[in-house]
Amino acid sequence: MRRLVEHALGAVFPTSAGIPGLERLDYGARLDEVLRGPPLMRLGLYAATLLFVLLPIWTVYTPLPSLLLSPSRLDRHANQLASSRIYLLRQLMLLLKTVGGLLWGADPEVRQALGLSPLGPDPGTFRGDELRVAAESPPRARR
Amino acid sequence: MSDYACDWRSYGHIAFQERGSVALEADYVVVGSGPGGSGAALVLARAGFEVCVVEAGPWRDPGDYPESMLGAMRDMMPDWGATVAVGDSIMPIVQAAVVGGGTVINSAIMVRTPDDVLADWRERHGLGDLFDERAMGLQHDAVDRELAVQRTPEGANFGSNNAMLLSALQRRQLGGKAILRNVVGCQGSSSCLQGCRAGAKQSANLGWLPEVIARGGTVISCARVDRVVFERGVAVGVRGRSRHPRTRVLGAAVDVRARRGVVIAASAVQTPLILQRSGIRLPALGRHWRVHPGAAVVGVYDHPVDMQRGATQGTASVHFRDGIAIQDGRPIAGTGENGIKIESLALPLELLAGRAAGAGQALIERLRDARHQAVWISAVRAEAEGTCRLGLFGQADVRYKPTQRDLRALRAGSHLLAALHFESGARLVRPGVVGLPAEIAPDQLPLLAEAPLDNRCWTWVLSHLFGGAVMGNDPQRSVVAPDLHVRGVRRLHVACAAALPTTLGVNPQHTILAVARILAERLANGA
Ligand SMILES: Cc1cc2nc3c(=O)[nH]c(=O)nc-3n(C[C@H](O)[C@H](O)[C@H](O)COP(=O)(O)OP(=O)(O)OC[C@H]3O[C@@H](n4cnc5c(N)ncnc54)[C@H](O)[C@@H]3O)c2cc1C
Ligand code: SF4
């Protein structure tokens, strides 16, 4: 399933004249985090991916899964789905776009290509965190 | 009293606990540490009471704050920001889940409660003089002093996105002003949503909660309260569970007994749920849930705007707070329609990418000019009322559907913002409305005035939330009586946005703070 998610995300954020697309970027660790996130988000992402893979017959009238489309058809398929008149489809695509946007927009290569400064780290630490405690060596808890 | 011993206790902060139980006793327990909870806790602590604040999120300091939006959603928001309101469309609800609550991720905008709101609370909701102009004014003055509220300087760190909206509003005399914020020495990093790493934003985790601790209080973080504990109709404490913020593993049971009272300040989404889980059955609980739904309009310019530099939000106007309509292509204020507030908002690339129309090459083309985009938003003073109830799996089940009048106000606001973009030199505008072209040129502006009045065609975001456990004198319509007790139980109070009986038409945190402080002062004075 993860491969399919990567395929769909890559089609939504493809490489384009001088700007790297998701398929060229190393975002695996961050995607892992997303997939470990809230179950509802994961389910939505999987549902969006499945529809993305199955619906070329409806968008570009081709009875093939999106994995087998030519690059230009795949691009048309992605754009048609994102602009669909059916609200639920649009919402599911919005979820794909949101997750893809979080991964693509934070990437240093993309940011450099667009003339934006790179982002710093996301430490994910907090007071009392073992990772921070190790650095600060505060008093240890005892029971 | 405590079966727990930990050296963190001596610092007044207890973080995630894996095993055993955390059992404490205090005069007051405050659940939630946003503006409502931290404001109430501080007043009680200053009055000499021992206060214990229980907060679901972790305590993050500026060095812990994320830089990316993915990090912000993961680290700062409940369930990665995946809470939604559902009506005939799905609208994301943006909130914080960290020590300091919304004060950590919000844009620090501080607007005093408008007098008409207070008159309405007095006259229609029977709140008497409790929150009159004088009482609220005193609180606002005190908060302004303590949090160094000041107008955003229009200097080097103001940012073009803000400066352009300010000029556009001033040219048309639409009441544009640099925003009042509780920020000292803003460095213009446009990243308030990720938390202010510069420490310029005066969020509650930096000042007020440390003071609560310094005055002998305790903050228990990473501890989600499940329910209030009652004995013979009196609230005597809360019960919850420690949860690791990274692994989400459940840890120690958390039990805090309150000698004098329990104050719930867990937001307009979570406060009604805690009361429901605690067995409170009141007709108004979970009802009268309101918001200021907002939507953005993007202008694309020939010159770089670089909204990633500047104050996240620096310019605003309340000119159309009492109503907006478009007549003959011009916006008219106070027309009997619903009002809006206009603001500039720097959206990070990651969010721009999710918002831009289309997918594939078409999407990337709309992001290629990211540096040339300016984002301005309108937030509607919506009249719709929704509900917030416990869902089947214990989650928040929020139902909300903006009315046609709300949509008309949003449409008028978007039309106005697009017009302002064009007057400021935008080459095209991306209205973000399904049913309209993804990009419109100046001569296509009239299309926006006719945009579909269908919620599913607009991308709303909900971040100003109100109600769910509102104050008032009508037992059928309110959860909190004018004496500020939750009806039918003793020593249980609400001190967050959930208690506000109406929307405000302005940013809410100053009002929430003032209301919470007034409640806490009354408790401190033995009410
Ligand atoms: C992105 C963003 C920008 C904003 N900008 C502004 C602005 O510039 N100016 C302004 O006035 N307003 C702004 N707002 C709105 C403002 O931040 C909120 O109205 C305000 O924070 C609400 O305060 P509160 O005390 O009701 O709840 P919150 O600030 O939401 O705090 C509630 C706290 O309770 C905790 N909690 C929830 N459930 C439990 C539980 N079961 N047990 C323990 N703890 C719990 C939460 O983790 C949270 O920390 C913004 C909001 C957002 C999301
Ligand atoms: S814009 Fe100013 S207040 Fe906001 S995070 Fe950046 S430095 Fe802090």
Side-chain angles (χ1 to χ4, degrees), chain B residues 31-37 54-57 94-103 105-111 193 223-226 265-268 270 274 277 313 463-465 495-498 507-510 512:
Chain B
V31 178
S33 62
V54 188
E55 164 58 52
V94 189
Q95 289 190 285
V98 282
V99 169
T103 69
I105 65 161
N106 73 23
S107 300
I109 302 171
M110 295 291 273
V111 188
L193 190 49
R224 178 180 175 275
V225 166
D226 291 322
S267 83
Q270 293 299 331
I274 294 174
R277 282 199 299 266
Q313 298 201 259
S463 61
H464 295 177
L465 320 172
C496 63
N507 313 62
Q509 69 173 340
H510 219 338
I512 297 166

Side-chain angles (χ1 to χ4, degrees), chain A residues 84-117:
Chain A
S84 166
R85 293 204 151 268
I86 298 173
Y87 180 68
L88 200 64
L89 271 185
R90 231 169 38 234
Q91 284 305 109
L92 285 171
M93 280 301 284
L94 182 65
L95 184 60
L96 265 182
K97 277 170 64 175
T98 304
V99 171
L102 293 172
L103 302 166
W104 180 85
D107 188 90
E109 284 182 52
V110 171
R111 298 183 72 85
Q112 189 182 19
L114 296 178
L116 299 170
S117 43

